Amino acid sequence: MKRLAVILFSILTFAIASFHIVAASVPTFHAVSFNEIAWAGTSTSASDEWIELSNFTDTPISLDGWRIVSSDGSPDILLEGTIPAFGHFLLERTNDDSAPSTADQIYTGSLSNTGERLTLFLPDGQEMDVAGDPDSPWFAGDNVSKRTMERVSPHVEGNVSSSWIDGEINGTPTNSIVDVDNDEYGYSPNIDWAAGDGVGFEQLAEDCDDTRNDVYPDAIEVLDVRDNDCDVEVDEGFTLGLLEYELYFNSDNLYAMAPTTNTNALELALLGLINSAESTIDAAIYGFSRVSIRDALIAAHQRGVEVRIAADYSEYHGSRSWPFDNHSHNFLAAFAERDINGSRTPQFFHDLETAGITIYPSNYVSYLQHNKFLIIDGATVWTGSTNLTDTGFSINMNNALVLKSEYVALAYQIEFDEMVSGKFATAKEDNTPHKFQFDNAFVEIYFSPSDEVESKIVDVMSAAQTNMHFSMFFWTSDVLGDLAVSKYVTEGLRIEGVWDAVGARNAFSEDQKMCDAGIPLKIEIAGGKAHNKFAVFDHAGINPTVVTGSYNWTASGAESNDENIVIISGNTAIAQRYYEEVMYVYNALPDETICGNISAESGIAACSNGRDDDFDFQIDEADSNCAESTVATCTDGIDNDGDDDVDSADLDCWMYYHGTPTNIELIKQASVVEQVDRLLNWMLLSLVVMTSFVIRQDRADRKRTN
């Protein structure tokens, strides 16, 4: 028995020892390795050096943050891009002429002809692979014939000569272009090309979906919510059924005194969408301080809905600079849009994070992520001008558009996914479908700065036949301003519109140019902002058209910010509703506001809200523009501000004499509070004076006694 035990123990010991020997002899496998190196250049030029990496796994691998570093310090390459499954990644020196194939990445720095060691590092600094030995000549290749150094196997270490063999003359450089679906059209995650740009797959146009062999350039487009022919558009040539839509406005905020938490139809509609979500909510948010919306998003997350948020850098971090320079109308507009409780915006984003919701802030400090859209369950889109703030819902005039269409949702989804991938503002591409023909409307969707939104509005305005009506926060685009004036003067296009007082006072605003041409604009005198960014053309014509969205008509809005616009034509009901909204406010404002020089901080509402509405560092009564903007000064029969208008004849008193009964009561209540406050101050002052008198009298009496 003992002998058997000894024999078994000996066998086990031998097996373990043999296992360690075998295990030690198995070479290291490199998921990504150096595959071919043209260290001697090519027969065209000794400077045409290139390096090819290979991926020996069945999964694409991101190379972002990886490095290739030479033992002599040059080259030192920070990699960027993706290497496909079982594919390659081609790096070319200095320019894209070092190899016939298009490079995945260009680098600088030359390879020594006497040999060096290249090391491929992971982002965390770990070594993935090596090629060569700094103390030896290159293991293969030839400087005379220009043969390359080619890898034998990823299972063989790259710092021994047996790992390499002589490659072909000039080598066989291969980039990341692959054809997984075998439809003869190549695809690359790093390279964009047109037919005929290069060799191999580059003789044909680029595939847009390498997982389906029925999707390729010039394929037959079918009705399947897919871009079958790789032209970016989806199901073009088909009518997509009836467009379901909802329109919301809060123009009654013209009479609002101050932000409140009271709900209105616009807010209830958004809450209804959020509460109805079953699978996903993707939201691109600028201002964010509405408790009801925050709580609804958290509740959706808690019931299992995937919620993702793309946010503005400064609204998320709370670090926007003050807009001292009028030329920086991007910052001025940003400040004018911020909530009265702007400091709450970062906190609300962080509240979502605390609840487990992922926030993707923009990485641009000076460019705004200015969208205000939500995508619900990949089928419904909410967009417009409404920031998700107390001011956005309860005091500023805004609009919202709900489009229930998987086609529209697809366009917004592609844009949203691009932002959460880290591409904001000028890093984005024009890669979304734009045009959708429904039974009852033709819809166009564009995003800035990639889609030339200004030129799309130029096209709409140029085609206008009879009239244009608008409600605009900021409009500083000379192109659009000049075109509007030209249409008005030379073609007789009727133009009427409402302009925000802050926007109109901007040094680059187009309102003065239009007023000089005789266009009857009205400047709002409300307590909040005319925050809309929409226009309606030919509302009763054969092709009525509405342009709306988050885009202020400015250069920064078109060229820098993340914005969206929706153009809807051919639907009279939608155009009529937007027209009515313009005229509701336009007709409510007195004729004295036509091309008026009106301060944003004037009038009872603006002069009693505790805010610096015109950004001059003077608030309410401390601002000279508020000299005739209280109940007392609007009912005293005196011209308090020297404008030759008294009480009811003064625009600053318009809210008191023309507001709704509810808001008049608020004004009176504010006046009562003001009067009580003054009375308390007077009583306090009187008490101080009386106390001082009593103290002095007591001292005098003591002197006389002593």
Side-chain angles (χ1 to χ4, degrees):
M1 189 68 178
K2 289 183 179 179
R3 180 179 295 179
L4 178 61
V6 170
I7 293 173
L8 291 173
F9 178 77
S10 299
I11 293 173
L12 179 62
T13 302
F14 177 77
I16 293 173
S18 299
F19 172 79
H20 281 294
I21 293 172
V22 171
S25 66
V26 174
T28 303
F29 173 73
H30 302 282
V32 177
S33 66
F34 293 102
N35 192 58
E36 191 172 4
I37 302 173
W39 57 264
T42 69
S43 54
T44 301
S45 171
S47 298
D48 286 347
E49 300 171 354
W50 51 265
I51 302 169
E52 178 191 291
L53 304 177
S54 290
N55 177 4
F56 291 93
T57 75
D58 61 359
T59 303
I61 297 175
S62 171
L63 299 179
D64 292 348
W66 293 42
R67 299 188 82 94
I68 294 175
V69 181
S70 171
S71 53
D72 65 5
S74 178
D76 183 340
I77 310 166
L78 178 64
L79 300 182
E80 182 179 359
T82 299
I83 185 168
F86 301 116
H88 305 278
F89 190 91
L90 181 62
L91 300 103
E92 298 185 30
R93 176 188 170 190
T94 308
N95 55 49
D96 201 16
D97 298 329
S98 297
S101 299
T102 301
D104 288 285
Q105 185 170 339
I106 305 297
Y107 70 91
T108 57
S110 62
L111 298 173
S112 169
N113 288 340
T114 59
E116 56 189 281
R117 171 189 170 120
L118 297 177
T119 304
L120 177 63
F121 290 103
L122 295 169
D124 62 3
Q126 293 187 60
E127 185 178 294
M128 170 58 73
D129 191 31
V130 297
D133 186 330
D135 299 322
S136 302
W138 291 105
F139 295 137
D142 182 70
N143 192 30
V144 177
S145 65
K146 302 302 180 183
R147 291 183 180 275
T148 61
M149 185 172 82
E150 188 171 357
R151 189 72 166 266
V152 174
S153 167
H155 295 285
V156 182
E157 292 295 337
N159 58 355
V160 294
S161 60
S162 59
S163 302
W164 302 92
I165 60 173
D166 287 342
E168 296 181 12
I169 295 174
N170 297 328
T172 55
T174 307
N175 56 25
S176 61
I177 300 177
V178 294
D179 180 22
V180 174
D181 58 7
N182 296 314
D183 60 4
E184 300 183 0
Y185 290 85
Y187 169 78
S188 167
N190 314 310
I191 303 169
D192 293 315
W193 74 92
D197 280 355
V199 299
F201 287 119
E202 295 173 74
Q203 289 294 302
L204 300 176
E206 183 179 5
D207 203 346
C208 59
D209 187 344
D210 205 35
T211 65
R212 294 175 59 105
N213 59 17
D214 60 342
V215 176
Y216 53 85
D218 299 324
I220 297 174
E221 189 75 22
V222 297
L223 189 63
D224 61 354
V225 199
R226 187 184 299 276
D227 176 20
N228 303 96
D229 55 3
C230 295
D231 65 352
V232 180
E233 298 301 330
V234 174
D235 293 358
E236 67 273 22
F238 292 91
T239 299
L240 308 177
L242 195 68
L243 174 66
E244 295 184 50
Y245 64 88
E246 297 170 5
L247 309 177
Y248 297 95
F249 304 89
N250 60 356
S251 293
D252 280 339
N253 284 348
L254 172 65
Y255 303 105
M257 284 292 295
T260 72
T261 57
N262 298 335
T263 58
N264 54 31
L266 189 150
E267 180 181 4
L268 291 174
L270 180 54
L271 288 172
L273 287 176
I274 295 172
N275 294 335
S276 70
E278 298 179 354
S279 57
T280 60
I281 298 175
D282 288 331
I285 299 175
Y286 180 61
F288 185 37
S289 67
R290 194 65 164 175
V291 171
S292 62
I293 305 300
R294 179 200 63 188
D295 293 349
L297 290 171
I298 292 174
H301 168 74
Q302 292 174 341
R303 68 174 183 268
V305 175
E306 181 185 8
V307 180
R308 300 185 298 170
I309 308 294
D312 175 69
Y313 177 95
S314 295
E315 291 296 304
Y316 174 79
H317 293 286
S319 57
R320 178 89 55 211
S321 301
W322 188 270
F324 289 108
D325 181 3
N326 278 340
H327 292 268
S328 303
H329 55 266
N330 195 36
F331 279 161
L332 182 58
F335 256 81
E337 295 216 33
R338 295 190 72 177
D339 185 65
I340 186 173
N341 298 312
S343 61
R344 293 166 61 193
T345 288
Q347 182 59 52
F348 273 44
F349 282 125
H350 300 329
D351 289 346
L352 297 186
E353 288 182 311
T354 300
I357 295 172
T358 304
I359 311 295
Y360 301 87
S362 168
N363 45 10
Y364 287 88
V365 179
S366 299
Y367 303 156
L368 308 182
Q369 191 303 109
H370 193 242
N371 288 298
K372 308 103 169 36
F373 70 75
L374 291 86
I375 312 163
I376 310 296
D377 293 337
T380 300
V381 170
W382 164 287
T383 189
S385 65
T386 309
N387 287 314
L388 308 186
T389 62
D390 288 343
T391 53
F393 286 109
S394 65
I395 191 169
N396 293 343
M397 289 178 279
N398 280 300
N399 75 98
L401 171 66
V402 177
L403 298 173
K404 299 181 179 181
S405 163
E406 59 184 335
Y407 290 95
V408 172
L410 175 62
Y412 277 88
Q413 192 68 62
I414 293 171
E415 181 75 2
F416 181 86
D417 289 344
E418 190 174 26
M419 289 191 289
V420 300
S421 74
K423 293 183 179 180
F424 288 84
T426 54
K428 295 187 306 184
E429 300 175 7
D430 182 1
N431 58 359
T432 63
H434 299 302
K435 300 178 180 181
F436 309 95
Q437 180 64 65
F438 295 92
D439 291 340
N440 55 339
F442 182 62
V443 176
E444 299 173 70
I445 310 291
Y446 299 101
F447 301 94
S448 67
S450 59
D451 299 357
E452 299 181 349
V453 293
E454 182 182 73
S455 69
K456 304 306 185 293
I457 299 176
V458 166
D459 293 342
V460 174
M461 191 183 298
S462 297
Q465 299 294 312
T466 57
N467 55 65
M468 168 186 174
H469 295 81
F470 66 86
S471 179
M472 201 64 58
F473 183 48
F474 267 67
W475 180 351
T476 62
S477 166
D478 284 333
V479 171
L480 295 174
D482 291 344
L483 179 57
V485 170
S486 175
K487 295 284 287 187
Y488 178 81
V489 173
T490 64
E491 299 181 26
L493 188 74
R494 180 181 179 183
I495 301 178
E496 294 172 308
V498 175
W499 213 293
D500 181 77
V502 173
R505 293 292 287 267
N506 180 270
F508 300 94
S509 181
E510 296 293 305
D511 64 301
Q512 191 58 55
K513 176 190 298 179
M514 295 168 71
C515 285
D516 291 344
I519 299 175
L521 311 175
K522 287 191 175 182
I523 312 300
E524 56 83 17
I525 51 176
K529 311 300 179 191
H531 189 250
N532 289 301
K533 307 100 169 44
F534 73 76
V536 55
F537 302 85
D538 299 341
H539 67 279
I542 59 174
N543 190 40
T545 302
V546 170
V547 178
T548 188
S550 68
Y551 164 59
N552 287 310
W553 292 11
T554 65
S556 53
E559 300 168 6
S560 306
N561 297 347
D562 292 293
E563 309 273 7
N564 73 96
I565 63 170
V566 181
I567 303 174
I568 304 177
S569 54
N571 187 299
T572 301
I574 293 177
Q576 183 67 25
R577 186 66 187 85
Y578 275 90
Y579 164 74
E580 291 171 354
E581 201 64 24
V582 174
M583 297 313 296
Y584 171 79
V585 177
Y586 189 89
N587 291 331
L589 294 171
D591 288 343
E592 290 84 352
T593 63
I594 294 177
C595 295
N597 184 23
I598 297 170
S599 170
E601 188 142 13
S602 62
I604 290 180
C607 291
S608 60
N609 60 14
R611 291 186 297 170
D612 181 14
D613 293 279
D614 56 0
F615 309 107
D616 64 354
F617 302 100
Q618 303 296 318
I619 297 176
D620 295 351
E621 289 189 16
D623 195 310
S624 60
N625 293 306
C626 292
E628 192 149 5
S629 294
T630 65
V631 172
T633 56
C634 285
T635 57
D636 61 3
I638 301 172
D639 178 16
N640 296 280
D641 54 5
D643 63 357
D644 296 326
D645 294 317
V646 177
D647 295 352
S648 62
D650 196 309
L651 280 179
D652 294 344
C653 299
W654 179 83
M655 180 75 78
Y656 179 76
Y657 288 98
H658 298 90
T660 62
T662 299
N663 285 283
I664 293 296
E665 191 60 34
L666 286 173
I667 293 171
K668 291 180 178 178
Q669 290 173 11
S671 177
V672 170
V673 171
E674 176 188 351
Q675 293 176 31
V676 169
D677 186 57
R678 288 178 175 174
L679 177 61
L680 289 174
N681 288 335
W682 179 83
M683 292 174 63
L684 180 61
L685 178 62
S686 299
L687 180 62
V688 171
V689 172
M690 291 178 63
T691 301
S692 176
F693 174 77
V694 169
I695 292 174
R696 288 199 303 270
Q697 188 64 38
D698 180 65
R699 288 175 177 171
D701 290 345
R702 288 181 180 180
K703 278 187 176 182
R704 285 195 296 270
T705 302
N706 293 334

